Amino acid sequence: MAAFFLPGVLMAVAGCAGGMVSADPGLTSFSVSPGASAIDTNCTGCSMASRQGTPVEQFRTTLPADEGAEVSWKVSGGDPRSGPGTISASGEYMPPSYLTRDRVQVLVTATSSSGATANSVLTVTPGFLQPLTPENSALGANGQVTVTGVLAEAGGEAGISFALANSATGSGGGQGSLGPTTCQRPSQAFTQCTVTYTAPAAIAATGVTYVVATAGGSTSKAAADLLLNTAGVSSNPASHQAEQLSPAQLGSSGSNNDDYDAQGAQVADCCGGTLGALIEDGNGRQYLLSNNHVLARSDQASVGDSIVQPGLIDNNCTPYGDGPGTAPVASLTGWLALSSAATNADAAIAQVAPSAVDVTGSILELGARQADGTLSAAPPGVSSTGGKGESAGLGMMVAKSGRTTGLTCASVSAVDLDVNVDYFTDCAETKAYLSKTFTNQIAVSGNQFSDAGDSGSLVVDAANAEPVGLFFAGGVDTSGVSEGVANPVGEVLSELTTQLGTGTNYSFVGASDHPVSCLTYGDNTVALAQARTLSDAEMTRAQLALARARQLVNPANGILGVATGKSSDHPGEGAIMVYVDEGAAATAPASVDGVRTLVIATNAHAVAAGSAPQTPFEGTSSAAQSLPASVLTRAIATKQREAHTLMAQNPAFFGVGVGQSLDNPKEAALVIYVDRKNAPAQLPATLGGLRTRYVLMDRLHVTRSYATPLEPRAHCMPRATSAPENFDPMSLTRPENLNLN
């Protein structure tokens, strides 16, 4: 992996920046809180979120009674080259994006309207520049993968420590072994450390082991998820990010050749996603299919724009024509306008160049396991549907092959999803374009199913590889589980046919139906909900409801016992565990005195012995407990009555669909996406007679990825002969811009 070089010359800052600082408290009645704290350049440990949702360290003052309310803020000290960071007029502090030493101290000073001052000392350490690479990988017995981490530090002595663990935030356990860590700490490049992981010689059962990295003296952690599998499958997403030998296969990195942000004469950053699938019109002309925001730059592109492989994000932001490493594979033909109320999909097509793309529509790793453990490329299945794809069903196991996480599988967690998604006109997502509400979408939930850069991936039924969705948006919930959204392929093909004005029908290019070698990293939603510690208030609320719940116990009616527990539909909320006879058709209310019920099928002996399960999924899986069609139909009707009102009443609710309750898998639930930064204090246990299941996460944004070039590059314009006044040579490679969004 290439080093992340810092552009320009690292210029020393005059004065005493970077030295030790100390706080002079000034007037004892005028103070700053916190008085001392520690964070890293990723803002790990920061106390608040800004209005834009980014983490910040919030400073506040305590003023004497005779002081005015006006306070001014400044920061000093910090790093001799990157400075002390910034602080807003309201006391929101952001650390510098990189350091040149292992730790620095920043002096935060508040000045009152009368001139009194108060200080706080903040210690800043370097954090991770980007996620570990690869973020995920699958290995069989004795398989090996090299994991790389990069710190936002140029020079210094800090490094990265790697350890095996049983969880992404753990510090012990795990299978296999790690070799020695090798670090490079050049003064003109960010610190980079690598370690080689070796899977055990025998793998008893498929499961995930984590390589957890810690950064220097910071509390920041990053992890790579390694799927150790008994099938002996070897899969590394790096193959999806590489330049493809002509003809290119799909599921690989791609972008519009103009998808970059300029800063003067320089390319400041760039973005891209996945070349998802191949479709053809009635005349046999073939087109790449991906998202509007990947190929058409969220409505900002022009017909005829070059589509390149790999995307600019995987070629140091170097467009075709400015240097080697990427090649044009198609010409942008048309897109479904996001700005139009008539569109309900995020899609664009580009006519392929002769011999540039595999004419069979082969997608990386969609085929069978080969002798060396790798997965072959294969076209999607089209034989059952004539290339029109099929409808996704709740609980269906689906697969996608994408630029960032490669081949992954997970289950459909919600159908008929109405969801609001934010779009931007720039790669850095600083210039808002619009928020669009899509209806009747597909939600997919699972560990490591997707990440930024997977936008445009074709989602297929894992049983037969038939297309079901076009992946376009996602994020990670508060449990660390990937939540993704896809347009139904029927909607995509229909709208392309009716709205592009070509008078032709489109269909997928593919071959006979075939199973996909699924790589499933699991789903921690229930496990983490049950591991969460309840607040005293929640435990008290559940205990108070328990007395009323005891009145439900009646073995003749199939209810064997009750106890207090934890909800999985709303992590952090208490619940009443209701034990029902597994051999009877017992029913339980969705709540008791406003406290959710957790309905667990078991037997009287297990209840009496205290060995009954703690969740409905213990020893089973949600996929094995499918909902009857009549239950799902009634739930969809309820959702269609409730969704618009719910989302209109409170913008914190940005998605509503129909899924399966995790507290009682025999019941449907309204799956409600909630902005974790603006979550209402009270979230009802039922709406319209249906259970509610809440997914707390950041608002959904489109899942392309962006990065800054390792060195600033001019594009189609002469380089500036001199730096403009106040030009910061480091601003073009701010490490946070390398993070996946």
Side-chain angles (χ1 to χ4, degrees):
M1 181 176 179
F4 288 77
F5 290 102
L6 303 177
V9 178
L10 290 174
M11 303 175 66
V13 177
C16 300
M20 296 297 291
V21 298
S22 60
D24 179 0
L27 297 177
T28 56
S29 57
F30 177 42
S31 62
V32 175
S33 62
S37 53
I39 62 174
D40 65 22
T41 54
N42 299 133
C43 237
T44 306
C46 278
S47 59
M48 294 287 287
S50 69
R51 187 171 298 177
Q52 291 73 33
T54 56
V56 293
E57 181 71 359
Q58 178 68 63
F59 288 92
R60 294 182 171 87
T61 58
T62 300
L63 292 165
D66 58 349
E67 281 281 0
E70 293 296 324
V71 172
S72 61
W73 297 89
K74 72 173 183 178
V75 288
S76 56
D79 190 89
R81 293 190 173 97
S82 62
T86 60
I87 193 165
S88 71
S90 60
E92 292 183 346
Y93 172 79
M94 285 286 293
S97 55
Y98 71 97
L99 301 180
T100 60
R101 53 187 59 186
D102 297 343
R103 54 187 286 146
V104 299
Q105 289 186 319
V106 174
L107 186 66
V108 179
T109 302
T111 303
S112 71
S113 56
S114 67
T117 62
N119 301 310
S120 174
V121 176
L122 177 64
T123 300
V124 183
T125 54
F128 286 100
L129 183 70
Q130 60 181 18
L132 298 184
T133 53
E135 294 181 48
N136 60 292
S137 185
L139 303 108
N142 293 314
Q144 288 191 328
V145 63
T146 298
V147 178
T148 301
V150 183
L151 285 184
E153 180 179 43
E157 298 179 355
I160 298 175
S161 297
F162 296 96
L164 293 177
N166 289 324
S167 71
T169 56
S171 58
Q175 301 180 60
S177 61
L178 294 174
T181 298
T182 302
C183 291
Q184 300 175 6
R185 302 183 182 88
S187 61
Q188 297 293 316
F190 296 117
T191 297
Q192 177 177 294
C193 299
T194 61
V195 67
T196 297
Y197 168 83
T198 303
I203 298 173
T206 297
V208 179
T209 278
Y210 301 85
V211 175
V212 179
T214 52
S218 132
T219 58
S220 180
K221 286 186 176 182
D225 296 24
L226 306 180
L227 181 63
L228 306 183
N229 61 93
T230 56
V233 171
S234 175
S235 171
N236 189 328
S239 63
H240 297 250
Q241 299 163 24
E243 183 177 7
Q244 297 282 306
L245 296 176
S246 184
Q249 293 172 325
L250 304 173
S252 58
S253 169
S255 72
N256 187 300
N257 197 46
D258 294 328
D259 209 354
Y260 60 86
D261 299 334
Q263 206 173 73
Q266 308 292 343
V267 173
D269 52 45
C270 59
C271 45
T274 300
L275 305 179
L278 196 63
I279 63 173
E280 62 183 5
D281 62 20
N283 295 316
R285 289 185 291 261
Q286 294 187 333
Y287 305 85
L288 287 177
L289 172 66
S290 187
N291 295 141
N292 175 323
H293 73 266
V294 173
L295 301 185
R297 300 169 47 222
S298 299
D299 293 347
Q300 310 303 309
S302 300
V303 171
D305 282 356
S306 288
I307 306 304
V308 295
Q309 196 290 317
L312 302 186
I313 49 174
D314 294 310
N315 194 42
N316 192 31
C317 295
T318 305
Y320 176 74
D322 281 10
T326 194
V329 292
S331 178
L332 184 62
T333 304
W335 57 90
L336 302 178
L338 297 170
S339 60
S340 171
T343 60
N344 192 40
D346 181 347
I349 60 173
Q351 187 167 354
V352 299
S355 304
V357 175
D358 188 323
V359 296
T360 68
S362 283
I363 296 174
L364 293 171
E365 298 193 299
L366 206 63
R369 179 186 178 278
Q370 302 179 107
D372 63 356
T374 61
L375 298 174
S376 63
V382 297
S383 56
S384 322
T385 64
K388 299 303 181 183
E390 63 183 32
S391 298
L394 189 62
M396 173 188 283
M397 185 63 65
V398 294
K400 73 101 194 68
S401 176
R403 174 260 173 200
T404 303
T405 56
L407 180 76
T408 53
C409 294
S411 61
V412 174
S413 55
V415 295
D416 199 51
L417 175 70
D418 295 354
V419 63
N420 186 266
V421 180
D422 296 332
Y423 287 86
F424 300 82
T425 59
D426 62 331
C427 292
E429 296 189 354
T430 62
K431 300 174 183 176
Y433 176 44
L434 54 79
S435 292
K436 186 177 180 71
T437 298
F438 297 87
T439 60
N440 193 33
Q441 303 296 294
I442 305 163
V444 182
S445 177
N447 301 349
Q448 287 294 337
F449 177 71
S450 61
D451 204 343
D454 287 329
S455 274
S457 302
L458 185 68
V459 179
V460 302
D461 182 343
N464 56 20
E466 283 278 352
V468 297
L470 184 64
F471 184 81
F472 76 103
V476 177
D477 66 19
T478 52
S479 297
V481 176
S482 299
E483 303 287 344
V485 182
N487 305 135
V489 292
E491 182 84 18
V492 171
L493 295 181
S494 174
E495 291 194 24
L496 289 173
T497 296
T498 59
Q499 297 194 32
L500 292 193
T502 58
T504 185
N505 289 313
Y506 295 95
S507 57
F508 287 97
V509 175
S512 297
D513 291 357
H514 60 88
V516 179
S517 301
C518 257
L519 300 180
T520 306
Y521 289 77
D523 189 329
N524 287 343
T525 302
V526 171
L528 292 176
Q530 294 303 309
R532 188 165 174 171
T533 301
L534 297 182
S535 67
D536 291 343
E538 277 302 308
M539 288 190 288
T540 299
R541 201 168 68 91
Q543 284 289 345
L544 292 174
L546 185 61
R548 177 70 63 85
R550 289 193 178 104
Q551 300 175 19
L552 298 173
V553 178
N554 185 344
N557 293 334
I559 297 184
L560 306 175
V562 294
T564 57
K566 303 173 184 178
S567 171
S568 296
D569 279 337
H570 186 187
E573 191 172 302
I576 299 296
M577 293 190 291
V578 180
Y579 294 107
V580 298
D581 189 338
E582 58 193 3
T587 59
S591 63
V592 176
D593 285 351
V595 176
R596 294 169 181 269
T597 59
L598 196 66
V599 183
I600 301 171
T602 184
N603 56 66
H605 175 75
V607 173
S611 60
Q614 298 298 298
T615 77
F617 295 99
E618 202 168 306
T620 183
S621 68
S622 60
Q625 305 179 49
S626 58
L627 294 174
S630 58
V631 171
L632 194 58
T633 299
R634 288 195 299 270
I636 289 174
T638 301
K639 171 260 165 183
Q640 291 173 348
R641 291 195 305 268
E642 300 284 343
H644 177 75
T645 301
L646 186 65
M647 294 173 68
Q649 285 178 340
N650 192 332
F653 302 119
F654 59 89
V656 184
V658 172
Q660 186 176 36
S661 170
L662 301 180
D663 288 342
N664 185 1
K666 292 185 177 180
E667 294 185 30
L670 290 179
V671 178
I672 303 172
Y673 291 87
V674 185
D675 185 343
R676 67 181 182 88
K677 301 183 184 72
N678 298 296
Q682 299 296 324
L683 295 171
T686 61
L687 281 173
L690 277 183
R691 289 177 180 261
T692 52
R693 175 180 164 193
Y694 294 104
V695 179
L696 273 69
M697 59 185 295
D698 291 328
R699 285 182 58 85
L700 287 176
H701 60 87
V702 294
T703 52
R704 65 180 173 179
S705 179
Y706 84 108
T708 49
L710 307 186
E711 299 176 0
R713 293 182 177 272
H715 176 68
C716 298
M717 59 189 77
R719 292 183 182 271
T721 56
S722 61
E725 188 176 2
N726 299 324
F727 176 71
D728 176 9
M730 301 309 301
S731 66
L732 297 183
T733 55
R734 292 177 59 188
E736 63 263 31
N737 287 354
L738 284 167
N739 291 338
L740 298 178
N741 288 302

